[in-house]
């Protein structure tokens, strides 16, 4: 089985090719440029280096969200375009799940923190039993003041990772009461290798979808949509959790 994996859910852009449980190649960039500039050239380069023809692919695994609205849309459009041409399915992989999967085999609690702006994080809570990932709290968007008490309640050491760490580090140091660690740089950001590996498991569970069925998962309205609705209604809108934005 050969899978092309894509993650453009945050600042990091990452693509990978996985074939028969082997990570053939992974190309990851975390440097200023927009995904509209980087993603297709990265895919072209990784295909060239591995002699991969898109018609040889069995599926495309893509970080389906949450994350950057623009990044998710670019990733979705790219995946749909390739999947349509190659006539293959798309495997939607929850972004936060894939981020946690970077730490497969880790002992203790894992808490990804992606910066969702406005003092909130795209987050979740996970642990591993061997190589099996257990979801303790499904991916969601929450203020740090709500997710950190949940982490403390488990009473175990916790590993944090994600692009929200620089923004939230001081608060973590103040409020986390259990032993905590930060993932090392090579494991601390989104990686297409993790998206593809987890995507293969989801494919085997029958969770691939057609090009027409695939839609990104945003978890909340974009800023532009919130501002438009607020103008239309003349009042403060609420997010998907029912709390004031």
């Amino acid at each position: 089985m050969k899978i092309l994996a894509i993650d453009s859910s945050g600042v990091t852009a990452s693509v990978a090719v996985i074939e028969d449980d082997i990570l053939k190649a992974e190309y990851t960039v975390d440097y200023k440029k927009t995904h509209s500039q980087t993603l297709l050239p990265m895919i072209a380069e990784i295909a060239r280096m591995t002699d991969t023809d898109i018609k040889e692919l069995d599926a495309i695994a893509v970080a389906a969200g949450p994350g950057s609205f623009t990044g998710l849309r670019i990733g979705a459009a790219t995946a749909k375009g390739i999947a349509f041409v190659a006539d293959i399915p798309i495997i939607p992989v929850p972004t936060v799940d894939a981020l946690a999967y970077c730490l497969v085999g880790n002992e203790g609690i894992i808490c990804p923190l992606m910066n969702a702006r406005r003092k909130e994080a795209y987050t979740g809570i996970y642990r591993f039993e061997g190589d099996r990932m257990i979801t303790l709290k499904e991916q969601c968007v929450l203020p740090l003041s709500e997710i950190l008490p949940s982490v403390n309640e488990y009473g175990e050491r916790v590993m944090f990772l994600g692009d929200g760490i620089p923004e939230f580090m001081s608060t973590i140091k103040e409020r986390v009461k259990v032993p905590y660690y930060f993932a090392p740089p090579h494991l601390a950001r989104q990686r297409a290798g993790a998206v593809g590996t987890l995507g293969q498991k989801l494919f085997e569970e029958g969770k691939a979808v057609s090009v027409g069925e695939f839609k990104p998962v945003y978890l909340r309205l974009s800023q532009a949509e919130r501002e438009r609705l607020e103008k239309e209604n003349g009042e403060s809108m609420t997010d998907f959790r029912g709390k004031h934005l």
Side-chain angles (χ1 to χ4, degrees):
M1 183 176 187
K2 185 177 285 189
I3 293 175
L4 172 66
I6 299 171
D7 194 325
S8 58
S9 59
V11 175
T12 302
S14 186
V15 299
V17 172
I18 295 177
E19 183 176 6
D20 298 331
D21 298 321
I22 298 173
L23 178 61
K24 290 288 186 179
E26 185 177 51
Y27 188 168
T28 300
V29 176
D30 186 352
Y31 185 74
K32 297 181 181 179
K33 293 184 179 179
T34 65
H35 298 318
S36 59
Q37 295 174 296
T38 59
L39 205 57
L40 283 173
M42 289 169 65
I43 292 171
E45 178 64 12
I46 207 170
R48 184 186 69 80
M49 291 291 291
T50 59
D51 295 323
T52 297
D53 188 319
I54 64 168
K55 294 181 180 178
E56 300 173 351
L57 297 172
D58 294 292
I60 296 180
V62 59
S68 158
F69 286 82
T70 301
L72 291 176
R73 287 166 180 159
I74 291 171
T78 302
K80 283 189 169 190
I82 296 173
F84 178 80
V85 171
D87 191 24
I88 54 176
I90 294 175
I91 311 166
V93 180
T95 301
V96 183
D97 291 14
L99 188 52
Y101 206 75
C102 289
L103 299 179
V104 61
N106 181 74
E107 295 183 1
I109 300 299
I110 298 169
C111 183
L113 294 171
M114 294 173 59
N115 192 351
R117 307 275 177 103
R118 298 167 41 251
K119 298 182 179 180
E120 292 187 323
Y122 296 121
T123 186
I125 301 177
Y126 306 82
R127 73 161 75 248
F128 283 95
E129 293 181 359
D131 63 353
R132 187 167 71 97
M133 188 168 72
I134 309 298
T135 301
L136 302 176
K137 185 176 185 60
E138 292 187 356
Q139 65 174 21
C140 55
V141 55
L142 286 175
L144 210 61
S145 60
E146 292 188 29
I147 191 65
L148 294 185
S150 297
V151 168
N152 288 331
E153 287 175 3
Y154 286 98
E156 302 177 43
R157 74 174 191 176
V158 57
M159 180 78 79
F160 292 102
L161 74 162
D163 61 21
I165 298 302
E167 174 75 16
F168 301 134
M169 185 175 290
S170 61
T171 304
I172 290 171
K173 291 179 178 180
E174 291 173 3
R175 300 187 183 183
V176 174
K177 307 302 181 184
V178 295
Y180 63 86
Y181 308 86
F182 300 106
H186 67 293
L187 299 174
R189 297 290 189 273
Q190 291 94 323
R191 293 184 59 180
V195 172
T197 304
L198 183 54
Q200 184 170 330
K201 293 180 179 294
L202 295 175
F203 183 89
E204 293 167 356
E205 295 171 6
K207 295 182 179 178
V209 299
S210 68
V211 172
E213 293 173 314
F214 174 68
K215 294 180 180 179
V217 176
Y218 297 115
L219 290 188
R220 70 181 187 191
L221 298 175
S222 69
Q223 181 176 345
E225 290 170 321
R226 292 196 308 269
E227 290 175 352
R228 176 178 59 81
L229 289 173
E230 286 176 1
K231 287 181 179 179
E232 290 177 356
N233 296 340
E235 58 185 18
S236 176
M237 297 301 297
T238 57
D239 68 3
F240 296 167
R241 293 174 289 112
K243 296 184 179 181
H244 285 294
L245 293 167

